[in-house]
Amino acid sequence: MAAFYEPDGKGYLATGLTRGPWDHGAQHAGPPAALLGREFDRLPEAEDFQVCRITFEILRSIPIGPVEVEARIVRPGRRVQMLEAELRVDGEVLMMARAWRLRTAPVDLPAATVAIPPGPALPSEPGPTSFFPTGADEGYHTAMEVRFVAGAFTEIGPATAWLRMRYPLVGDEDPTPLQRTLIAADVGNGISAAVDFRKFVFVNVDLTVQLERLPRGEWVCLDAVTLPRERGNATAESLMSDETGRLGRALQTLLVAAR
């Protein structure tokens, strides 16, 4: 397989590289989030604006198979625009996204106010990256290169990890900076699990990404923590960086339950 998705008539065919940890037949939320981001990249005037916030609502698990996506500008404007996108399977909306994008134009600000805070250093060597014991030989975990600075998939507690796509998102296209960010942003709860994967599920129902700027280069880092509560809910918070420094934040709302 050469990509997460292959063009398929009016839509796309998800490959096994999209497989997530919870169900062998369902996609990890990162690839479909990036696919919706790709639709935002293809809207008119994209080169004049930057997407600064996206919220994804995950209405149901997304099966590995054919999907259709569509995006539109719902609030046009010269300086501020709101975008919406949907991912459908057999006509049913399974994921939706809403984004604000702001026009980019130079602003004369003091240098100290626009300095980019540094982020964690990218490890020079891969190191061990044991994934959750899902029994799947192929999926998101093999399609992404992961280098941990702290923590691990199989360790409990906060973690910091760098991620890079091993494959294109669609066909042989080069992924855009927005796509590289979104495919990584959903992994915060996975790298910073607060409970044992073998005993609990901790699956997110949404993902909000706030971008101060788009990444430079192929690597995106998440410095993540998951905070569960006794009533079965949790949040996962991630600070995102590239090799230059801070990019923004990602936030997930989680359902926590015994298996």
Side-chain angles (χ1 to χ4, degrees):
M1 292 179 184
F4 290 87
Y5 299 94
E6 296 293 346
D8 181 39
K10 294 182 179 180
Y12 304 91
L13 180 64
T15 71
L17 299 176
T18 66
R19 181 175 291 108
W22 306 110
D23 180 342
H24 285 191
Q27 300 182 43
H28 188 285
L35 191 64
L36 290 175
R38 179 176 176 270
E39 291 301 297
F40 288 151
D41 281 334
R42 292 155 64 90
L43 288 173
E45 302 182 280
E47 64 278 4
D48 299 323
F49 286 79
Q50 180 191 311
V51 171
C52 292
R53 192 272 286 162
I54 305 181
T55 295
F56 299 92
E57 309 292 356
I58 306 167
L59 305 182
R60 274 186 49 199
S61 63
I62 302 170
I64 299 173
V67 300
E68 293 186 357
V69 290
E70 181 182 8
R72 54 198 172 271
I73 302 172
V74 295
R75 193 275 199 191
R78 292 184 298 109
R79 296 198 296 179
V80 178
Q81 297 180 347
M82 176 171 278
L83 317 178
E84 287 184 350
E86 295 177 344
L87 181 147
R88 305 184 188 96
V89 173
D90 293 330
E92 182 182 0
V93 177
L94 300 189
M95 180 184 278
M96 60 178 63
R98 178 171 284 182
W100 283 109
R101 69 179 185 180
L102 310 181
R103 180 171 288 277
T104 57
V107 181
D108 188 14
L109 296 173
T113 65
V114 296
I116 299 174
L122 172 64
S124 57
E125 299 295 333
T129 55
S130 297
F131 193 63
F132 298 123
T134 65
D137 294 330
E138 178 186 64
Y140 180 88
H141 62 292
T142 62
M144 301 290 291
E145 182 178 355
V146 184
R147 296 186 184 182
F148 278 91
V149 176
F153 283 114
T154 53
E155 291 182 13
I156 301 298
T160 305
W162 288 85
L163 294 95
R164 176 170 66 175
M165 299 168 70
R166 297 183 189 272
Y167 302 90
L169 182 68
V170 174
D172 58 359
E173 295 179 3
D174 288 332
T176 66
L178 180 62
Q179 293 164 30
R180 292 185 185 281
T181 303
L182 296 179
I183 203 168
D186 188 68
V187 82
N189 63 320
I191 63 172
S192 66
V195 292
D196 191 333
F197 176 86
R198 295 165 297 184
K199 298 179 180 178
F200 297 92
V201 296
F202 39 94
V203 60
N204 57 306
V205 298
D206 64 8
L207 169 67
T208 296
V209 179
Q210 217 168 20
L211 285 169
E212 297 151 16
R213 61 184 182 86
L214 293 173
R216 303 165 187 164
E218 298 181 333
W219 290 95
V220 174
C221 179
L222 276 74
D223 184 0
V225 60
T226 296
L227 304 169
R229 292 296 174 257
E230 63 274 8
R231 295 181 66 87
N233 64 291
T235 58
E237 300 175 351
S238 303
L239 287 178
M240 298 187 301
S241 306
D242 64 5
E243 293 185 75
T244 303
R246 176 180 164 126
L247 291 175
R249 302 182 299 168
L251 180 67
Q252 299 163 290
T253 305
L254 312 180
L255 169 71
V256 181
R259 286 189 177 273

